[in-house]
Amino acid sequence: LRRASHPPPSGGAPPGGKGKPCGVGLTIMDKPPHLVTSIAPHGPADRTHAVQVGDCLVAIDDELVAHLAMDTLCQHVLGEEGTRVEMWLERIPPGVESRRHHERAEGINQQLSNLKRLLQDGVLDMQAYKVGVDQSWAGF
């Protein structure tokens, strides 16, 4: 997703990336599980057609959010207009209570920390790191 004001300005962020602070057009519950409660019409999240009310926000830019206070979570989502943010959402079928990524947050966090350390140490290149991140999510 790209952060954008609502409605987005023509031409996106100003040159040099000096956009105004804004979000992605989602309202979520302030306590875990962080379920999407509304989507701003024509906002970045709405334009992706990938987010639905009831989806569970799991991570932002590879950081799990289950343990984050709402003000910290907002700092991860709010940013300069036009910048990118990657959000991981879990689609929960109606009537199902499981939030498997929230329930297994500690294990996922450990795997992601290990991958980041291997990337920083030069053991993994960026492609191998991304594969490892994808496998961490898929394994849970």
Side-chain angles (χ1 to χ4, degrees):
L1 295 172
R2 287 196 184 274
R3 296 176 182 102
S5 57
H6 311 288
S10 59
K18 300 288 185 197
K20 62 183 178 179
C22 52
V24 296
L26 293 177
T27 304
I28 60 170
M29 293 175 60
D30 60 354
K31 295 189 190 297
H34 298 294
L35 300 178
V36 174
T37 57
S38 68
I39 302 168
H42 311 293
D46 185 42
R47 290 191 307 268
T48 69
H49 304 288
V51 183
Q52 295 179 5
V53 170
D55 285 353
C56 182
L57 179 60
V58 176
I60 301 170
D61 293 329
D62 294 336
E63 183 172 349
L64 289 167
V65 300
H67 66 287
L68 297 180
M70 191 62 175
D71 61 336
T72 304
L73 191 147
C74 287
Q75 291 172 9
H76 288 282
V77 176
L78 297 175
E80 195 172 281
E81 181 180 343
T83 58
R84 293 185 61 84
V85 61
E86 186 172 67
M87 301 174 74
W88 294 75
L89 295 126
E90 183 178 13
R91 178 109 347 116
I92 308 295
V96 174
E97 294 300 320
S98 174
R99 308 286 188 256
R100 64 186 183 133
H101 289 97
H102 282 286
E103 294 163 359
R104 298 180 181 165
E106 189 173 320
I108 296 172
N109 269 333
Q110 184 62 47
Q111 285 186 345
L112 293 176
S113 293
N114 290 341
L115 289 167
K116 286 177 188 175
R117 188 171 42 256
L118 291 170
L119 179 65
Q120 291 169 345
D121 292 346
V123 176
L124 296 177
D125 62 11
M126 184 55 72
Q127 183 179 355
Y129 169 77
K130 289 180 179 184
V131 168
V133 168
D134 289 343
Q135 289 175 343
S136 293
W137 291 115
F140 284 91

